[in-house]
């Protein structure tokens, strides 16, 4: 059996790893069933389906002209607005025809190595539950609306789909070097909060931006945040904020560029050169940055969400 002490190349098998490389529970979490790797999708109520429809309609008011073309095309290809929470099996069949990916329902939290294992095999783990009316505007844990509406349309883009698989493979390597924080930053600033420069202008492709009504306007139009061209090395040394609008976004020219930067980088060397913590604050602009807009940081400096500052 392969272990993380030696290079892992068989991505079809879940690896066995030494305890010290883990930052998440090794064993099956107590609250999930024996089918925790690929459980059945939750049965949703009429109210759950209505919540999906209302969330969908709210996003469609703000996404045109702000969401990446590939994202909007993906929504169409998968027909995610056909009504109600999408049925994973049907969605997976359609996605499989397009890029060979599928979507698997998972409990709220899964260990890191299982998350990477799914991605490395072109399976996207999506949360099963949907938010309630009480948490309609903001939830911290990703629900099925964030995971499916936010992430899955991008998986219809062939190059982005390959990037996500490479990310999964990179995950096991990061665990071996105990550098999950650094790899987590790359996920954060691309998959969750990435911006793309299209011919028509700046657009969002990150699921954290696209699945909520406020950040998509702020990320594209506000004066406050920095917008810096993505450099993988730099991003992996940069801290990020989890529960507020980002002070800095990183912008790519194309998904080809993102893919190339990731697969061509020697991650063994990179991980060896990184410290366990972050070098740069999430507000920092540094000498090597190719800066698209230097933000005023007004929203962040006024105290962000807790202060009631306007996201301008
Ligand atoms: Fe997400």
């Amino acid at each position: 059996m392969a272990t993380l002490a030696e290079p892992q190349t068989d991505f079809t098998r879940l690896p066995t790893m030494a305890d010290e490389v883990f930052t998440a529970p090794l064993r099956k979490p107590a609250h999930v069933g024996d089918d925790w790797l690929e459980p059945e999708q939750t049965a949703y109520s009429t109210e759950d389906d209505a919540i999906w429809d209302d969330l969908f309609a709210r996003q469609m008011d703000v996404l045109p002209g702000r969401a990446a073309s590939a994202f909007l095309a993906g929504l169409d290809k998968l027909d995610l607005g056909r009504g109600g929470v999408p049925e994973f099996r049907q969605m997976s069949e359609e996605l499989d025809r397009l890029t060979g990916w599928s979507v698997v329902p998972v409990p709220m939290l899964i260990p890191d190595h299982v998350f990477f294992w799914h991605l490395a095999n072109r399976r996207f783990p999506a949360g099963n539950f949907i938010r309630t009316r009480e948490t309609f505007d903001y939830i911290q844990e990703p629900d099925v609306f964030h995971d499916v509406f936010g992430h899955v349309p991008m998986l219809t883009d062939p190059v982005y789909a390959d990037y996500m698989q490479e990310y999964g493979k990179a995950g096991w390597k990061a665990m071996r070097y105990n550098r999950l924080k650094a790899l987590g930053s790359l996920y954060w600033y691309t998959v969750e909060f990435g911006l793309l420069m299209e011919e028509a202008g700046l657009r969002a492709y990150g699921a954290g931006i696209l699945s909520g009504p406020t950040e998509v306007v702020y990320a594209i139009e506000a004066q406050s945040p920095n917008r810096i061209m993505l450099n993988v090395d730099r991003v992996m040394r940069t801290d990020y904020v989890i529960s507020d609008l980002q002070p800095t976004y990183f912008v790519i020219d194309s998904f080809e560029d993102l893919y190339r930067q990731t697969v061509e980088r020697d991650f063994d060397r990179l991980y060896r050169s990184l410290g366990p913590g972050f070098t740069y604050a999430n507000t920092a602009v540094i000498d090597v940055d190719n800066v698209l807009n230097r933000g005023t940081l007004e929203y962040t400096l006024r105290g962000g969400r807790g202060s009631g500052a306007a996201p301008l």
Side-chain angles (χ1 to χ4, degrees):
M1 180 76 69
T3 75
L4 272 196
E6 61 197 50
Q8 172 76 38
T9 52
D10 180 2
F11 292 103
T12 62
R13 296 168 64 201
L14 197 60
T16 304
M17 289 178 272
D19 290 65
E20 64 269 19
V21 302
F22 277 82
T23 57
L26 257 180
R27 281 165 286 278
K28 179 173 85 64
H31 64 283
V32 298
D34 288 332
D35 63 345
W36 65 303
L37 289 177
E38 294 188 39
E40 283 298 305
Q41 189 183 8
T42 303
Y44 300 99
S45 67
T46 311
E47 171 62 359
D48 291 338
D49 285 334
I51 288 174
W52 173 280
D53 292 344
D54 291 348
L55 288 165
F56 191 97
R58 181 171 72 171
Q59 287 317 101
M60 294 319 288
D61 281 345
V62 289
L63 292 189
R66 298 189 180 103
S69 313
F71 177 85
L72 295 171
L75 276 182
D76 264 1
K77 286 177 194 166
L78 298 171
D79 196 15
L80 294 185
R82 72 183 89 183
V85 182
E87 208 269 305
F88 282 21
R89 196 156 294 151
Q90 182 185 10
M91 179 169 58
S92 291
E93 279 168 17
E94 290 162 3
L95 190 55
D96 182 47
R97 272 197 294 277
L98 293 166
T99 56
W101 274 75
S102 60
V103 182
V104 294
V106 293
M108 248 197 289
L109 290 170
I110 57 172
D112 294 325
H113 70 300
V114 178
F115 177 70
F116 296 134
W117 176 67
H118 280 307
L119 293 186
N121 290 287
R122 295 175 92 85
R123 288 191 295 261
F124 188 77
N128 241 329
F129 79 105
I130 189 158
R131 69 195 74 182
T132 61
R133 293 279 172 199
E134 289 68 48
T135 54
F136 193 81
D137 289 332
Y138 180 73
I139 48 160
Q140 188 133 4
E141 309 82 25
D143 69 343
V144 67
F145 186 77
H146 168 82
D147 278 343
V148 170
F149 180 92
H151 285 284
V152 174
M154 286 307 308
L155 292 170
T156 63
D157 181 274
V159 180
Y160 187 86
D162 287 348
Y163 168 70
M164 285 295 276
Q165 182 177 25
E166 289 304 318
Y167 187 90
K169 294 177 182 176
W172 288 355
K173 194 172 272 187
M175 294 179 88
R176 194 159 67 238
Y177 285 100
N178 196 15
R179 290 293 177 266
L180 273 186
K181 268 178 79 129
L183 190 69
S185 258
L186 181 61
Y187 194 86
W188 195 259
Y189 284 118
T190 60
V191 179
E192 294 292 356
F193 293 97
L195 298 182
L196 167 70
M197 186 53 84
E198 293 191 351
E199 254 178 59
L202 201 58
R203 299 287 185 268
Y205 69 91
I209 300 177
L210 294 167
S211 57
T214 308
E215 191 147 7
V216 68
V217 179
Y218 170 87
I220 300 294
E221 287 152 31
Q223 299 296 309
S224 185
N226 298 313
R227 298 179 185 90
I228 298 171
M229 297 309 289
L230 181 105
N231 172 306
V232 165
D233 278 39
R234 191 270 203 238
V235 160
M236 288 175 72
R237 296 165 202 270
T238 306
D239 199 1
Y240 56 87
V241 55
I242 291 178
S243 55
D244 206 341
L245 305 175
Q246 303 301 309
T248 299
Y249 297 94
F250 290 92
V251 183
I252 56 171
D253 274 334
S254 63
F255 296 120
E256 284 81 4
D257 177 46
L258 174 62
Y259 179 78
R260 210 170 32 244
Q261 281 204 48
T262 310
V263 294
E264 286 180 0
R265 188 66 174 88
D266 180 348
F267 274 67
D268 289 281
R269 249 180 97 182
L270 178 58
Y271 290 143
R272 279 196 294 267
S273 74
L274 294 173
F278 290 121
T279 309
Y280 306 118
N282 53 32
T283 50
V285 175
I286 60 174
D287 287 351
V288 299
D289 284 340
N290 179 2
V291 181
L292 209 59
N293 297 132
R294 184 153 192 155
T296 61
L297 296 181
E298 186 177 333
Y299 172 77
T300 305
L301 294 173
R302 282 172 181 265
R305 176 169 277 136
S307 70
L312 299 172

